[in-house]
Amino acid sequence: MSGSKIWISTAQVANRMLILARTTPIEQVKRKTDGLSLFYTATDRSRVEIRAIPKMGRHAVDSNMLFIDNLEVPADDLIGAEGDGFRQILHGFNPERILIAAEAVGLGRAALRKATQYAKDRVVFDRPIGQNQGIQHPLAVCWMNLEAANLMVMQAATLYDAQQDCGAQANAAKYLAAEAAFSACQTAMMTLGGMGYSREYHVERYLRESFIPRIAPVSPHMILNFIAEKVLGLPKSY
Ligand SMILES: Cc1cc2nc3c(=O)[nH]c(=O)nc-3n(C[C@H](O)[C@H](O)[C@H](O)COP(=O)(O)OP(=O)(O)OC[C@H]3O[C@@H](n4cnc5c(N)ncnc54)[C@H](O)[C@@H]3O)c2cc1C
């Protein structure tokens, strides 16, 4: 097996990796997504070069570029039926979106908590800055957006748990939660003024981290494409 892939999490420490590989040539399949198989195989470092990517946040896990050169994968490492790998990998997409969305809601709530506390504590010209509606209103909007996003997360999770179709809700939850989290982190930064830029209050770190649920595992633009085409039935843009 040979190929390359960027942005692979935890490859510095992983003993095994999940690989989706073409096992039937593309000319011999009806749809491009047919003929792919899923393997769970050893990360043989003599055949897999792993290069860490320097990045702006998410330092709890490493992110990497992988270059796979003639890696031999035992047939026993196949997961499920041969040629059916794409369908199997799709199965994991919705729960991953729901999980990331829930994480984003938590991140946004943490930023909002810090900002609200700071607005109560910080006194300028003898009054807390949180007494100004110019400070209050953006925080109130963040709360509403986060809680609304959380309801979509819960709806998606409920459908998933009931083994019902949840693609639209899982994607919508990921989009809404990530945007709400980003907005809450940005609002927190501005609420703290100069101290938002200092590491002491952590909100600069939250803001950096809020880009991950926006970008990965799927970008906001691709979610909008999905909702427009699959949910609203609009013509494909490509
Ligand atoms: C820290 C981090 C960890 C990650 N971890 C993993 C991981 O463990 N495993 C993994 O597989 N991936 C991982 N990713 C990859 C991540 O899922 C992708 O970066 C993400 O899906 C965006 O794809 P891309 O980088 O190829 O962007 P591109 O496809 O190059 O797109 C660039 C920009 O153009 C926009 N764009 C592209 N096409 C269209 C279109 N048709 N319409 C409108 N806009 C468009 C995109 O939305 C995006 O904003 C990780 C990424 C990061 C940053």
Side-chain angles (χ1 to χ4, degrees):
M1 202 175 280
S2 295
S4 58
K5 171 83 177 78
I6 194 169
W7 291 115
I8 297 298
S9 302
T10 70
Q12 296 290 332
V13 292
N15 297 323
R16 297 184 83 83
M17 55 187 176
L18 204 55
I19 302 185
L20 184 67
R22 178 157 295 286
T23 44
T24 307
I26 198 148
E27 303 78 36
Q28 294 172 25
V29 293
K30 262 201 250 147
R31 290 172 307 175
K32 279 190 284 190
T33 47
D34 292 340
L36 298 165
S37 303
L38 195 60
F39 298 90
Y40 186 55
T41 200
T43 315
D44 173 0
R45 280 156 210 278
S46 69
R47 294 280 165 201
V48 184
E49 187 191 337
I50 301 169
R51 278 190 230 155
I53 304 170
K55 52 187 177 168
M56 74 183 261
R58 179 84 24 146
H59 294 302
V61 290
D62 52 88
S63 302
N64 306 276
M65 288 185 268
L66 257 71
F67 303 90
I68 302 174
D69 184 19
N70 280 318
L71 176 72
E72 279 198 25
V73 177
D76 277 356
D77 289 351
L78 176 73
I79 294 185
E82 188 180 332
D84 206 22
F86 191 73
R87 211 168 51 85
Q88 289 155 14
I89 211 120
L90 271 186
H91 188 66
F93 280 2
N94 288 331
E96 186 185 26
R97 282 161 175 53
I98 299 168
L99 179 81
I100 300 281
E103 185 186 319
V105 170
L107 180 62
R109 283 176 175 166
L112 183 57
R113 206 162 41 236
K114 284 260 185 219
T116 307
Q117 193 58 52
Y118 191 85
K120 290 175 187 169
D121 296 344
R122 167 77 173 145
V123 174
V124 178
F125 299 128
D126 298 328
R127 49 194 295 225
I129 57 166
Q131 207 171 335
N132 301 308
Q133 288 182 331
I135 291 285
Q136 292 178 0
H137 289 183
L139 296 172
V141 172
C142 289
W143 182 85
M144 291 190 289
N145 285 338
L146 284 166
E147 294 312 305
N150 191 50
L151 288 177
M152 186 59 89
V153 177
M154 291 302 139
Q155 192 190 350
T158 304
L159 289 170
Y160 179 78
D161 282 349
Q163 299 188 354
Q164 289 181 30
D165 195 8
C166 64
Q169 290 78 7
N171 276 285
K174 205 294 270 187
Y175 179 97
L176 294 170
E179 297 309 309
F182 171 65
S183 180
C185 292
Q186 189 173 248
T187 304
M189 284 281 295
M190 296 314 286
T191 304
L192 269 74
M195 291 320 285
Y197 212 73
S198 134
R199 286 199 170 169
E200 185 182 345
Y201 286 89
H202 298 283
V203 290
E204 56 80 30
R205 173 168 74 84
Y206 297 165
L207 180 68
R208 279 186 283 128
E209 210 61 23
S210 74
F211 279 92
I212 299 298
R214 290 188 91 201
I215 297 168
V218 58
S219 71
H221 317 109
M222 293 321 233
I223 292 181
L224 294 174
N225 290 346
F226 172 81
I227 298 291
E229 288 162 22
K230 302 286 184 203
V231 180
L232 303 179
L234 291 164
K236 264 183 182 251
S237 53
Y238 52 91

